[in-house]
């Protein structure tokens, strides 16, 4: 028998979106009544998509029975900057948790429901979806990318002294109590944001756990340049291995911390 979320839960579902006009209707369609029962509000944060993503999201949201809005970043903040917008929004509006679900329809939010029903989001500061944990399922993921991810997981595990099975997937949960000091504002705004976030999770001794997820690549447009991102990731693990907290203390934000603003372009 499934248990209901505790009464004090107020969970924000944050969906970062960029060039997801084809995928975002599918992502929102997966927000079944079963999912909506556990979520207080849905916020889609668009980073200036030129392909009609905002209109596609607005149309799809009409089927939702819970509060929902679309925020349009006031400048190009990249994926990390969109996280900063959403985390600030969650803290300002009194949510207890933020669920991150990428808008490209690679992850499946149904994988999260057993974690919420078991109350694990209240046992940990961070629940991290893992593409490579035992029980995970990959569809359409190349052998090269799987091997590369495993290699980096091993390197970061050695550097941190903790077994890490994913450096950053598209399905995660964070307690706003753990985000309250807004340390995330100094992290980089690009695709390295999740890596720096994970290192902070370990270094700040957060209570965290990985859980297996399903992951697929069909018609998504990847923003990752494989080899360039690989070299940057090597630089990060080397920097952390040599300097630890001093390395993480560096401010990598591309703009003043209060400059990550967004405009509501749809609300229901």
């Amino acid at each position: 028998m499934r248990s209901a979320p505790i009464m004090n839960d107020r969970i924000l579902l944050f969906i970062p979106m960029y060039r997801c006009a084809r995928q975002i209707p599918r992502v929102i369609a997966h927000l079944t009544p079963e999912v909506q029962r556990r979520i207080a509000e849905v916020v889609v944060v668009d980073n200036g998509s030129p392909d009609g993503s905002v209109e596609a999201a607005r149309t799809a949201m009409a089927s939702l029975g819970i509060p929902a809005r679309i925020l349009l970043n006031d400048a190009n903040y990249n994926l990390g900057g969109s996280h900063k917008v959403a985390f600030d929004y969650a803290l300002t509006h009194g949510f207890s948790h933020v669920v991150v679900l990428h808008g490209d329809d690679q992850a499946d939010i149904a994988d999260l429901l057993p974690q919420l029903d078991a109350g694990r989001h209240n046992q940990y500061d961070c629940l991290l979806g893992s593409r490579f944990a035992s029980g995970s399922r990959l569809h359409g993921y190349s052998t090269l990318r799987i091997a590369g991810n495993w290699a980096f997981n091993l390197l970061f595990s050695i550097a941190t002294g903790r077994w890490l099975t994913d450096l950053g997937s598209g399905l995660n949960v964070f307690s706003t109590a753990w985000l309250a000091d807004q340390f995330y504002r100094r992290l980089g705004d690009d695709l390295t944001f999740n890596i720096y976030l994970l290192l902070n999770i370990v270094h700040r001794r957060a209570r965290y756990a990985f859980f297996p997820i399903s992951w697929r690549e069909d018609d998504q447009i990847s923003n990752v340049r494989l080899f360039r991102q690989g070299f940057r990731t090597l630089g990060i693990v080397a920097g952390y291995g040599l300097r630890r907290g001093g390395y993480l203390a560096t401010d990598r934000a591309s703009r003043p911390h209060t400059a990550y603003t967004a405009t509501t372009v749809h609300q229901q």
Side-chain angles (χ1 to χ4, degrees):
M1 179 178 180
R2 289 178 171 172
S3 58
I6 64 172
M7 292 303 294
N8 291 332
D9 282 358
R10 189 162 179 263
I11 299 176
L12 174 70
L13 174 58
F14 154 52
I15 304 176
M17 179 174 71
Y18 182 70
R19 296 177 64 90
C20 296
R22 295 178 63 183
Q23 296 84 21
I24 193 64
R26 302 198 303 257
V27 173
I28 294 175
H30 291 155
L31 306 183
T32 62
E34 187 82 352
V35 174
Q36 294 180 50
R37 183 175 71 82
R38 296 158 174 82
I39 302 298
E41 183 175 340
V42 177
V43 169
V44 173
V45 179
D46 183 74
N47 197 45
S49 298
D51 65 341
S53 292
V54 169
E55 185 56 38
R58 180 186 291 115
T59 300
M61 278 181 168
S63 65
L64 296 178
I66 56 176
R69 72 173 62 207
I70 302 173
L71 297 177
L72 178 61
N73 289 341
D74 292 333
N76 186 343
Y77 305 147
N78 294 312
L79 180 63
S82 291
H83 276 72
K84 295 176 186 183
V85 169
F87 288 171
D88 284 351
Y89 182 91
L91 291 172
T92 299
H93 292 84
F95 291 93
S96 62
H97 298 82
V98 183
V99 171
V100 181
L101 174 67
H102 286 190
D104 57 7
D105 194 35
Q106 291 186 288
D108 186 349
I109 195 168
D111 294 329
L112 179 62
L113 299 190
Q115 306 297 319
L116 298 180
D117 289 342
R120 298 190 80 213
H121 59 302
N122 290 311
Q123 299 167 14
Y124 295 96
D125 300 311
C126 317
L127 279 177
L128 307 173
S130 173
R131 295 163 290 179
F132 308 100
S134 176
S136 65
R137 300 169 302 282
L138 297 175
H139 171 73
Y141 219 53
S142 71
T143 301
L144 176 63
R145 295 190 70 176
I146 292 173
N149 275 278
W150 273 107
F152 280 119
N153 291 344
L154 179 59
L155 285 174
F156 276 80
S157 296
I158 293 170
T160 60
R162 304 291 293 272
W163 180 233
L164 306 175
T165 61
D166 204 316
L167 301 187
S169 75
L171 182 60
N172 300 293
V173 188
F174 301 97
S175 162
T176 54
W178 185 70
L179 297 171
D181 67 357
Q182 298 179 307
F183 74 91
Y184 56 83
R185 288 187 169 189
R186 69 172 181 269
L187 306 185
D189 295 335
D190 58 15
L191 294 174
T192 63
F193 177 89
N194 280 332
I195 300 175
Y196 286 117
L197 183 60
L198 179 61
L199 289 175
N200 274 274
I201 288 170
V202 174
H203 192 78
R204 290 160 57 90
R205 300 183 184 276
R207 299 169 300 159
Y208 72 93
F210 289 99
F211 65 96
I213 62 173
S214 52
W215 191 263
R216 62 185 176 276
E217 289 198 353
D218 297 314
D219 57 354
Q220 292 84 3
I221 300 174
S222 175
N223 291 314
V224 176
R225 300 295 181 266
L226 196 60
F227 292 103
R228 183 176 65 181
Q229 185 71 8
F231 283 120
R232 296 185 69 185
T233 304
L234 282 174
I236 293 172
V237 71
Y240 179 75
L242 291 171
R243 297 177 55 208
R244 303 285 173 173
Y247 180 75
L248 295 181
T250 301
D251 193 330
R252 295 177 171 84
S254 62
R255 61 191 65 240
H257 292 182
T258 57
Y260 295 86
T261 58
T263 300
T264 298
V265 295
H266 176 72
Q267 182 177 0
Q268 63 185 52

